[in-house]
mmCIF file of all heavy atoms in Angstrom:
data_model
loop_
_atom_site.group_PDB
_atom_site.id
_atom_site.type_symbol
_atom_site.label_atom_id
_atom_site.label_comp_id
_atom_site.label_asym_id
_atom_site.label_seq_id
_atom_site.Cartn_x
_atom_site.Cartn_y
_atom_site.Cartn_z
ATOM 1 N N ASN A 1 3.595 -7.335 -4.769
ATOM 2 C CA ASN A 1 2.820 -7.362 -6.002
ATOM 3 C C ASN A 1 1.905 -6.149 -6.012
ATOM 4 O O ASN A 1 1.512 -5.639 -4.944
ATOM 5 C CB ASN A 1 2.005 -8.644 -6.128
ATOM 6 C CG ASN A 1 1.628 -8.926 -7.559
ATOM 7 O OD1 ASN A 1 2.166 -8.333 -8.491
ATOM 8 N ND2 ASN A 1 0.672 -9.836 -7.755
ATOM 9 N N TYR A 2 1.571 -5.703 -7.207
ATOM 10 C CA TYR A 2 0.818 -4.461 -7.352
ATOM 11 C C TYR A 2 -0.311 -4.623 -8.358
ATOM 12 O O TYR A 2 -0.233 -5.429 -9.291
ATOM 13 C CB TYR A 2 1.745 -3.345 -7.837
ATOM 14 C CG TYR A 2 2.904 -3.061 -6.911
ATOM 15 C CD1 TYR A 2 4.108 -3.746 -7.026
ATOM 16 C CD2 TYR A 2 2.777 -2.110 -5.898
ATOM 17 C CE1 TYR A 2 5.164 -3.500 -6.168
ATOM 18 C CE2 TYR A 2 3.830 -1.857 -5.033
ATOM 19 C CZ TYR A 2 5.011 -2.557 -5.172
ATOM 20 O OH TYR A 2 6.060 -2.306 -4.312
ATOM 21 N N ALA A 3 -1.331 -3.824 -8.157
ATOM 22 C CA ALA A 3 -2.377 -3.728 -9.175
ATOM 23 C C ALA A 3 -1.754 -3.117 -10.427
ATOM 24 O O ALA A 3 -0.854 -2.276 -10.351
ATOM 25 C CB ALA A 3 -3.512 -2.851 -8.667
ATOM 26 N N ALA A 4 -2.238 -3.535 -11.567
ATOM 27 C CA ALA A 4 -1.685 -3.046 -12.823
ATOM 28 C C ALA A 4 -1.763 -1.524 -12.924
ATOM 29 O O ALA A 4 -0.892 -0.873 -13.500
ATOM 30 C CB ALA A 4 -2.420 -3.691 -13.997
ATOM 31 N N SER A 5 -2.806 -0.961 -12.345
ATOM 32 C CA SER A 5 -3.029 0.478 -12.449
ATOM 33 C C SER A 5 -2.007 1.313 -11.671
ATOM 34 O O SER A 5 -1.873 2.505 -11.920
ATOM 35 C CB SER A 5 -4.438 0.827 -11.957
ATOM 36 O OG SER A 5 -4.613 0.405 -10.621
ATOM 37 N N VAL A 6 -1.271 0.683 -10.727
ATOM 38 C CA VAL A 6 -0.323 1.453 -9.931
ATOM 39 C C VAL A 6 1.106 0.972 -10.094
ATOM 40 O O VAL A 6 2.036 1.593 -9.583
ATOM 41 C CB VAL A 6 -0.686 1.410 -8.419
ATOM 42 C CG1 VAL A 6 -2.133 1.833 -8.210
ATOM 43 C CG2 VAL A 6 -0.435 0.043 -7.815
ATOM 44 N N LYS A 7 1.297 -0.117 -10.818
ATOM 45 C CA LYS A 7 2.650 -0.686 -10.973
ATOM 46 C C LYS A 7 3.571 0.343 -11.607
ATOM 47 O O LYS A 7 3.220 0.987 -12.595
ATOM 48 C CB LYS A 7 2.572 -1.946 -11.816
ATOM 49 C CG LYS A 7 3.838 -2.790 -11.795
ATOM 50 C CD LYS A 7 3.612 -4.139 -12.456
ATOM 51 C CE LYS A 7 2.675 -5.013 -11.654
ATOM 52 N NZ LYS A 7 2.560 -6.382 -12.209
ATOM 53 N N GLY A 8 4.751 0.486 -11.026
ATOM 54 C CA GLY A 8 5.720 1.452 -11.512
ATOM 55 C C GLY A 8 5.577 2.826 -10.880
ATOM 56 O O GLY A 8 6.469 3.664 -11.001
ATOM 57 N N ARG A 9 4.465 3.065 -10.190
ATOM 58 C CA ARG A 9 4.241 4.359 -9.541
ATOM 59 C C ARG A 9 4.216 4.233 -8.022
ATOM 60 O O ARG A 9 4.621 5.157 -7.315
ATOM 61 C CB ARG A 9 2.923 4.980 -10.017
ATOM 62 C CG ARG A 9 2.843 5.225 -11.507
ATOM 63 C CD ARG A 9 1.587 6.003 -11.883
ATOM 64 N NE ARG A 9 0.361 5.263 -11.594
ATOM 65 C CZ ARG A 9 -0.598 5.708 -10.780
ATOM 66 N NH1 ARG A 9 -0.477 6.876 -10.184
ATOM 67 N NH2 ARG A 9 -1.692 4.987 -10.588
ATOM 68 N N PHE A 10 3.717 3.109 -7.517
ATOM 69 C CA PHE A 10 3.587 2.884 -6.086
ATOM 70 C C PHE A 10 4.624 1.867 -5.636
ATOM 71 O O PHE A 10 4.955 0.931 -6.369
ATOM 72 C CB PHE A 10 2.190 2.361 -5.734
ATOM 73 C CG PHE A 10 1.064 3.343 -5.889
ATOM 74 C CD1 PHE A 10 1.233 4.555 -6.538
ATOM 75 C CD2 PHE A 10 -0.191 3.041 -5.374
ATOM 76 C CE1 PHE A 10 0.194 5.457 -6.682
ATOM 77 C CE2 PHE A 10 -1.244 3.920 -5.503
ATOM 78 C CZ PHE A 10 -1.066 5.126 -6.160
ATOM 79 N N THR A 11 5.097 2.038 -4.400
ATOM 80 C CA THR A 11 6.030 1.087 -3.810
ATOM 81 C C THR A 11 5.599 0.772 -2.385
ATOM 82 O O THR A 11 5.432 1.686 -1.569
ATOM 83 C CB THR A 11 7.457 1.649 -3.797
ATOM 84 O OG1 THR A 11 7.861 1.970 -5.126
ATOM 85 C CG2 THR A 11 8.424 0.601 -3.234
ATOM 86 N N VAL A 12 5.434 -0.512 -2.087
ATOM 87 C CA VAL A 12 5.055 -0.941 -0.740
ATOM 88 C C VAL A 12 6.300 -1.473 -0.046
ATOM 89 O O VAL A 12 7.151 -2.117 -0.656
ATOM 90 C CB VAL A 12 3.946 -2.023 -0.790
ATOM 91 C CG1 VAL A 12 4.418 -3.289 -1.490
ATOM 92 C CG2 VAL A 12 3.423 -2.330 0.606
ATOM 93 N N SER A 13 6.415 -1.176 1.247
ATOM 94 C CA SER A 13 7.583 -1.637 1.994
ATOM 95 C C SER A 13 7.251 -1.758 3.477
ATOM 96 O O SER A 13 6.281 -1.146 3.950
ATOM 97 C CB SER A 13 8.759 -0.671 1.801
ATOM 98 O OG SER A 13 8.425 0.627 2.273
ATOM 99 N N ARG A 14 8.038 -2.532 4.170
ATOM 100 C CA ARG A 14 7.900 -2.676 5.620
ATOM 101 C C ARG A 14 9.074 -1.969 6.284
ATOM 102 O O ARG A 14 10.217 -2.114 5.860
ATOM 103 C CB ARG A 14 7.911 -4.137 6.036
ATOM 104 C CG ARG A 14 6.789 -4.971 5.420
ATOM 105 C CD ARG A 14 6.777 -6.363 5.991
ATOM 106 N NE ARG A 14 5.816 -7.215 5.325
ATOM 107 C CZ ARG A 14 5.172 -8.220 5.928
ATOM 108 N NH1 ARG A 14 5.417 -8.483 7.206
ATOM 109 N NH2 ARG A 14 4.318 -8.968 5.257
ATOM 110 N N ASP A 15 8.789 -1.194 7.302
ATOM 111 C CA ASP A 15 9.829 -0.512 8.067
ATOM 112 C C ASP A 15 9.862 -1.129 9.452
ATOM 113 O O ASP A 15 9.035 -0.811 10.310
ATOM 114 C CB ASP A 15 9.532 0.990 8.138
ATOM 115 C CG ASP A 15 10.685 1.772 8.727
ATOM 116 O OD1 ASP A 15 11.377 1.259 9.635
ATOM 117 O OD2 ASP A 15 10.896 2.914 8.297
ATOM 118 N N SER A 16 10.808 -2.014 9.684
ATOM 119 C CA SER A 16 10.864 -2.723 10.955
ATOM 120 C C SER A 16 11.263 -1.798 12.108
ATOM 121 O O SER A 16 10.892 -2.036 13.253
ATOM 122 C CB SER A 16 11.839 -3.903 10.867
ATOM 123 O OG SER A 16 13.124 -3.460 10.482
ATOM 124 N N ALA A 17 11.983 -0.736 11.805
ATOM 125 C CA ALA A 17 12.390 0.199 12.854
ATOM 126 C C ALA A 17 11.181 0.952 13.398
ATOM 127 O O ALA A 17 11.098 1.242 14.600
ATOM 128 C CB ALA A 17 13.432 1.168 12.314
ATOM 129 N N LYS A 18 10.259 1.300 12.520
ATOM 130 C CA LYS A 18 9.062 2.038 12.943
ATOM 131 C C LYS A 18 7.860 1.111 13.148
ATOM 132 O O LYS A 18 6.817 1.563 13.609
ATOM 133 C CB LYS A 18 8.712 3.106 11.902
ATOM 134 C CG LYS A 18 9.773 4.193 11.735
ATOM 135 C CD LYS A 18 9.262 5.355 10.886
ATOM 136 C CE LYS A 18 8.993 4.946 9.462
ATOM 137 N NZ LYS A 18 8.583 6.092 8.611
ATOM 138 N N ASN A 19 8.019 -0.156 12.794
ATOM 139 C CA ASN A 19 6.912 -1.121 12.879
ATOM 140 C C ASN A 19 5.717 -0.674 12.044
ATOM 141 O O ASN A 19 4.561 -0.645 12.516
ATOM 142 C CB ASN A 19 6.474 -1.339 14.332
ATOM 143 C CG ASN A 19 6.243 -2.798 14.635
ATOM 144 O OD1 ASN A 19 7.028 -3.662 14.266
ATOM 145 N ND2 ASN A 19 5.144 -3.096 15.324
ATOM 146 N N THR A 20 6.011 -0.327 10.808
ATOM 147 C CA THR A 20 4.964 0.182 9.924
ATOM 148 C C THR A 20 5.044 -0.483 8.551
ATOM 149 O O THR A 20 6.067 -0.995 8.126
ATOM 150 C CB THR A 20 5.080 1.695 9.710
ATOM 151 O OG1 THR A 20 6.372 1.993 9.156
ATOM 152 C CG2 THR A 20 4.903 2.466 11.013
ATOM 153 N N LEU A 21 3.899 -0.419 7.868
ATOM 154 C CA LEU A 21 3.821 -0.747 6.454
ATOM 155 C C LEU A 21 3.683 0.583 5.726
ATOM 156 O O LEU A 21 2.851 1.401 6.104
ATOM 157 C CB LEU A 21 2.620 -1.640 6.170
ATOM 158 C CG LEU A 21 2.408 -2.004 4.699
ATOM 159 C CD1 LEU A 21 3.450 -3.019 4.268
ATOM 160 C CD2 LEU A 21 0.987 -2.543 4.492
ATOM 161 N N GLU A 22 4.495 0.778 4.705
ATOM 162 C CA GLU A 22 4.507 2.056 4.004
ATOM 163 C C GLU A 22 3.996 1.872 2.576
ATOM 164 O O GLU A 22 4.113 0.790 1.996
ATOM 165 C CB GLU A 22 5.932 2.601 3.939
ATOM 166 C CG GLU A 22 6.652 2.682 5.289
ATOM 167 C CD GLU A 22 6.219 3.877 6.102
ATOM 168 O OE1 GLU A 22 6.048 4.961 5.512
ATOM 169 O OE2 GLU A 22 6.058 3.737 7.342
ATOM 170 N N LEU A 23 3.444 2.944 2.030
ATOM 171 C CA LEU A 23 3.076 2.949 0.616
ATOM 172 C C LEU A 23 3.508 4.293 0.039
ATOM 173 O O LEU A 23 2.908 5.327 0.344
ATOM 174 C CB LEU A 23 1.574 2.751 0.412
ATOM 175 C CG LEU A 23 1.133 2.642 -1.058
ATOM 176 C CD1 LEU A 23 1.659 1.339 -1.691
ATOM 177 C CD2 LEU A 23 -0.397 2.695 -1.177
ATOM 178 N N GLN A 24 4.561 4.258 -0.754
ATOM 179 C CA GLN A 24 5.019 5.452 -1.436
ATOM 180 C C GLN A 24 4.275 5.562 -2.767
ATOM 181 O O GLN A 24 4.327 4.638 -3.579
ATOM 182 C CB GLN A 24 6.526 5.393 -1.690
ATOM 183 C CG GLN A 24 7.086 6.586 -2.450
ATOM 184 C CD GLN A 24 6.977 7.872 -1.666
ATOM 185 O OE1 GLN A 24 7.212 7.908 -0.473
ATOM 186 N NE2 GLN A 24 6.605 8.956 -2.333
ATOM 187 N N MET A 25 3.580 6.670 -2.947
ATOM 188 C CA MET A 25 2.758 6.860 -4.149
ATOM 189 C C MET A 25 3.304 8.048 -4.927
ATOM 190 O O MET A 25 3.308 9.176 -4.427
ATOM 191 C CB MET A 25 1.303 7.105 -3.743
ATOM 192 C CG MET A 25 0.726 6.021 -2.854
ATOM 193 S SD MET A 25 -1.042 6.236 -2.526
ATOM 194 C CE MET A 25 -1.026 7.768 -1.621
ATOM 195 N N ASN A 26 3.795 7.771 -6.118
ATOM 196 C CA ASN A 26 4.336 8.811 -6.991
ATOM 197 C C ASN A 26 3.475 8.949 -8.242
ATOM 198 O O ASN A 26 2.689 8.059 -8.568
ATOM 199 C CB ASN A 26 5.772 8.480 -7.387
ATOM 200 C CG ASN A 26 6.707 8.385 -6.187
ATOM 201 O OD1 ASN A 26 6.536 9.095 -5.193
ATOM 202 N ND2 ASN A 26 7.696 7.512 -6.277
ATOM 203 N N GLN A 27 3.671 10.041 -8.943
ATOM 204 C CA GLN A 27 2.941 10.295 -10.197
ATOM 205 C C GLN A 27 1.446 10.064 -10.011
ATOM 206 O O GLN A 27 0.813 9.379 -10.817
ATOM 207 C CB GLN A 27 3.486 9.408 -11.308
ATOM 208 C CG GLN A 27 4.981 9.588 -11.565
ATOM 209 C CD GLN A 27 5.529 8.520 -12.512
ATOM 210 O OE1 GLN A 27 4.902 8.245 -13.546
ATOM 211 N NE2 GLN A 27 6.654 7.930 -12.163
ATOM 212 N N LEU A 28 0.908 10.630 -8.967
ATOM 213 C CA LEU A 28 -0.499 10.400 -8.643
ATOM 214 C C LEU A 28 -1.415 10.955 -9.724
ATOM 215 O O LEU A 28 -1.121 11.995 -10.348
ATOM 216 C CB LEU A 28 -0.828 11.011 -7.280
ATOM 217 C CG LEU A 28 -0.335 10.177 -6.095
ATOM 218 C CD1 LEU A 28 -0.269 11.016 -4.831
ATOM 219 C CD2 LEU A 28 -1.234 8.971 -5.910
ATOM 220 N N LYS A 29 -2.516 10.255 -9.912
ATOM 221 C CA LYS A 29 -3.518 10.622 -10.916
ATOM 222 C C LYS A 29 -4.857 10.835 -10.229
ATOM 223 O O LYS A 29 -5.100 10.275 -9.159
ATOM 224 C CB LYS A 29 -3.651 9.504 -11.946
ATOM 225 C CG LYS A 29 -2.358 9.104 -12.631
ATOM 226 C CD LYS A 29 -2.592 7.902 -13.543
ATOM 227 C CE LYS A 29 -1.301 7.461 -14.227
ATOM 228 N NZ LYS A 29 -1.527 6.288 -15.127
ATOM 229 N N PRO A 30 -5.743 11.607 -10.842
ATOM 230 C CA PRO A 30 -7.071 11.803 -10.223
ATOM 231 C C PRO A 30 -7.777 10.476 -9.957
ATOM 232 O O PRO A 30 -8.509 10.366 -8.959
ATOM 233 C CB PRO A 30 -7.810 12.642 -11.274
ATOM 234 C CG PRO A 30 -6.724 13.423 -11.938
ATOM 235 C CD PRO A 30 -5.554 12.485 -12.011
ATOM 236 N N GLU A 31 -7.546 9.483 -10.788
ATOM 237 C CA GLU A 31 -8.203 8.187 -10.573
ATOM 238 C C GLU A 31 -7.646 7.415 -9.383
ATOM 239 O O GLU A 31 -8.179 6.356 -9.036
ATOM 240 C CB GLU A 31 -8.135 7.315 -11.841
ATOM 241 C CG GLU A 31 -6.758 7.178 -12.447
ATOM 242 C CD GLU A 31 -6.517 8.164 -13.576
ATOM 243 O OE1 GLU A 31 -6.905 9.358 -13.447
ATOM 244 O OE2 GLU A 31 -5.909 7.758 -14.592
ATOM 245 N N ASP A 32 -6.588 7.916 -8.773
ATOM 246 C CA ASP A 32 -6.072 7.324 -7.540
ATOM 247 C C ASP A 32 -6.848 7.816 -6.317
ATOM 248 O O ASP A 32 -6.622 7.327 -5.203
ATOM 249 C CB ASP A 32 -4.593 7.661 -7.344
ATOM 250 C CG ASP A 32 -3.700 7.028 -8.405
ATOM 251 O OD1 ASP A 32 -3.937 5.859 -8.757
ATOM 252 O OD2 ASP A 32 -2.768 7.706 -8.865
ATOM 253 N N THR A 33 -7.743 8.752 -6.515
ATOM 254 C CA THR A 33 -8.547 9.269 -5.423
ATOM 255 C C THR A 33 -9.394 8.162 -4.808
ATOM 256 O O THR A 33 -10.135 7.470 -5.511
ATOM 257 C CB THR A 33 -9.459 10.403 -5.905
ATOM 258 O OG1 THR A 33 -8.652 11.520 -6.301
ATOM 259 C CG2 THR A 33 -10.432 10.844 -4.815
ATOM 260 N N ALA A 34 -9.228 7.952 -3.504
ATOM 261 C CA ALA A 34 -9.931 6.867 -2.819
ATOM 262 C C ALA A 34 -9.608 6.927 -1.330
ATOM 263 O O ALA A 34 -8.699 7.661 -0.907
ATOM 264 C CB ALA A 34 -9.505 5.513 -3.381
ATOM 265 N N VAL A 35 -10.334 6.129 -0.577
ATOM 266 C CA VAL A 35 -9.948 5.874 0.811
ATOM 267 C C VAL A 35 -9.037 4.649 0.787
ATOM 268 O O VAL A 35 -9.397 3.614 0.209
ATOM 269 C CB VAL A 35 -11.166 5.625 1.706
ATOM 270 C CG1 VAL A 35 -10.719 5.291 3.119
ATOM 271 C CG2 VAL A 35 -12.090 6.840 1.702
ATOM 272 N N TYR A 36 -7.878 4.785 1.372
ATOM 273 C CA TYR A 36 -6.885 3.714 1.385
ATOM 274 C C TYR A 36 -6.886 3.027 2.755
ATOM 275 O O TYR A 36 -6.845 3.686 3.792
ATOM 276 C CB TYR A 36 -5.494 4.264 1.075
ATOM 277 C CG TYR A 36 -5.304 4.596 -0.390
ATOM 278 C CD1 TYR A 36 -5.976 5.692 -0.958
ATOM 279 C CD2 TYR A 36 -4.498 3.825 -1.205
ATOM 280 C CE1 TYR A 36 -5.820 5.994 -2.308
ATOM 281 C CE2 TYR A 36 -4.338 4.124 -2.561
ATOM 282 C CZ TYR A 36 -5.011 5.193 -3.096
ATOM 283 O OH TYR A 36 -4.854 5.489 -4.434
ATOM 284 N N TYR A 37 -6.904 1.706 2.715
ATOM 285 C CA TYR A 37 -6.942 0.895 3.937
ATOM 286 C C TYR A 37 -5.728 -0.032 3.968
ATOM 287 O O TYR A 37 -5.367 -0.619 2.940
ATOM 288 C CB TYR A 37 -8.196 0.016 3.969
ATOM 289 C CG TYR A 37 -9.499 0.745 3.891
ATOM 290 C CD1 TYR A 37 -10.076 1.094 2.665
ATOM 291 C CD2 TYR A 37 -10.203 1.074 5.054
ATOM 292 C CE1 TYR A 37 -11.284 1.752 2.598
ATOM 293 C CE2 TYR A 37 -11.419 1.725 4.998
ATOM 294 C CZ TYR A 37 -11.950 2.069 3.770
ATOM 295 O OH TYR A 37 -13.148 2.725 3.709
ATOM 296 N N CYS A 38 -5.151 -0.176 5.145
ATOM 297 C CA CYS A 38 -4.104 -1.183 5.272
ATOM 298 C C CYS A 38 -4.718 -2.462 5.796
ATOM 299 O O CYS A 38 -5.745 -2.465 6.490
ATOM 300 C CB CYS A 38 -2.959 -0.711 6.164
ATOM 301 S SG CYS A 38 -3.400 -0.228 7.823
ATOM 302 N N MET A 39 -4.102 -3.562 5.441
ATOM 303 C CA MET A 39 -4.592 -4.889 5.762
ATOM 304 C C MET A 39 -3.444 -5.750 6.218
ATOM 305 O O MET A 39 -2.307 -5.567 5.769
ATOM 306 C CB MET A 39 -5.224 -5.500 4.507
ATOM 307 C CG MET A 39 -5.701 -6.937 4.607
ATOM 308 S SD MET A 39 -4.389 -8.202 4.433
ATOM 309 C CE MET A 39 -3.900 -7.930 2.747
ATOM 310 N N SER A 40 -3.747 -6.687 7.107
ATOM 311 C CA SER A 40 -2.717 -7.614 7.547
ATOM 312 C C SER A 40 -3.337 -8.968 7.813
ATOM 313 O O SER A 40 -4.497 -9.058 8.228
ATOM 314 C CB SER A 40 -2.027 -7.098 8.815
ATOM 315 O OG SER A 40 -1.022 -8.003 9.218
ATOM 316 N N ILE A 41 -2.581 -10.011 7.564
ATOM 317 C CA ILE A 41 -2.997 -11.375 7.892
ATOM 318 C C ILE A 41 -2.062 -11.889 8.973
ATOM 319 O O ILE A 41 -0.839 -11.962 8.777
ATOM 320 C CB ILE A 41 -2.974 -12.292 6.665
ATOM 321 C CG1 ILE A 41 -4.002 -11.813 5.636
ATOM 322 C CG2 ILE A 41 -3.276 -13.730 7.078
ATOM 323 C CD1 ILE A 41 -4.009 -12.614 4.352
ATOM 324 N N VAL A 42 -2.666 -12.223 10.111
ATOM 325 C CA VAL A 42 -1.909 -12.757 11.254
ATOM 326 C C VAL A 42 -2.564 -14.061 11.680
ATOM 327 O O VAL A 42 -3.769 -14.099 11.919
ATOM 328 C CB VAL A 42 -1.904 -11.754 12.422
ATOM 329 C CG1 VAL A 42 -1.153 -12.339 13.614
ATOM 330 C CG2 VAL A 42 -1.299 -10.427 12.006
ATOM 331 N N ASP A 43 -1.765 -15.112 11.746
ATOM 332 C CA ASP A 43 -2.283 -16.444 12.094
ATOM 333 C C ASP A 43 -3.471 -16.813 11.205
ATOM 334 O O ASP A 43 -4.460 -17.390 11.679
ATOM 335 C CB ASP A 43 -2.700 -16.477 13.571
ATOM 336 C CG ASP A 43 -1.511 -16.342 14.502
ATOM 337 O OD1 ASP A 43 -0.394 -16.732 14.093
ATOM 338 O OD2 ASP A 43 -1.684 -15.847 15.620
ATOM 339 N N GLY A 44 -3.365 -16.441 9.955
ATOM 340 C CA GLY A 44 -4.383 -16.806 8.990
ATOM 341 C C GLY A 44 -5.628 -15.960 9.000
ATOM 342 O O GLY A 44 -6.551 -16.197 8.210
ATOM 343 N N LYS A 45 -5.696 -14.961 9.851
ATOM 344 C CA LYS A 45 -6.887 -14.118 9.957
ATOM 345 C C LYS A 45 -6.587 -12.727 9.378
ATOM 346 O O LYS A 45 -5.557 -12.146 9.690
ATOM 347 C CB LYS A 45 -7.324 -13.961 11.410
ATOM 348 C CG LYS A 45 -7.774 -15.265 12.071
ATOM 349 C CD LYS A 45 -8.184 -15.028 13.522
ATOM 350 C CE LYS A 45 -8.593 -16.321 14.190
ATOM 351 N NZ LYS A 45 -8.983 -16.099 15.610
ATOM 352 N N PRO A 46 -7.507 -12.197 8.571
ATOM 353 C CA PRO A 46 -7.305 -10.862 8.012
ATOM 354 C C PRO A 46 -7.788 -9.761 8.947
ATOM 355 O O PRO A 46 -8.803 -9.927 9.630
ATOM 356 C CB PRO A 46 -8.156 -10.889 6.735
ATOM 357 C CG PRO A 46 -9.254 -11.829 7.073
ATOM 358 C CD PRO A 46 -8.694 -12.853 8.017
ATOM 359 N N TYR A 47 -7.078 -8.675 8.974
ATOM 360 C CA TYR A 47 -7.446 -7.506 9.765
ATOM 361 C C TYR A 47 -7.325 -6.267 8.884
ATOM 362 O O TYR A 47 -6.425 -6.182 8.029
ATOM 363 C CB TYR A 47 -6.518 -7.348 10.977
ATOM 364 C CG TYR A 47 -6.577 -8.493 11.949
ATOM 365 C CD1 TYR A 47 -5.781 -9.626 11.778
ATOM 366 C CD2 TYR A 47 -7.443 -8.449 13.043
ATOM 367 C CE1 TYR A 47 -5.845 -10.691 12.655
ATOM 368 C CE2 TYR A 47 -7.494 -9.505 13.947
ATOM 369 C CZ TYR A 47 -6.694 -10.619 13.748
ATOM 370 O OH TYR A 47 -6.756 -11.662 14.642
#
């Protein structure tokens, strides 16, 4: 699921071979400027 502001431009995916979460960001806009953080929930706890 995506925020409305990025839907159609961003794609999130899991790469099991690299053990990573990816975020492909296309058609970037100045309003996309930010610090980006990854998050995970394991055993019900957020990290």
Side-chain angles (χ1 to χ4, degrees):
N1 201 14
Y2 300 89
S5 58
V6 307
K7 193 170 292 186
R9 300 187 296 121
F10 290 12
T11 302
V12 63
S13 61
R14 300 186 186 210
D15 189 325
S16 57
K18 296 191 294 184
N19 223 45
T20 58
L21 178 74
E22 307 281 319
L23 184 68
Q24 178 66 41
M25 305 186 296
N26 299 327
Q27 302 171 46
L28 283 161
K29 304 175 181 180
E31 51 264 42
D32 294 319
T33 294
V35 177
Y36 285 71
Y37 302 86
C38 57
M39 175 280 295
S40 181
I41 296 177
V42 178
D43 293 333
K45 296 180 182 179
Y47 298 87

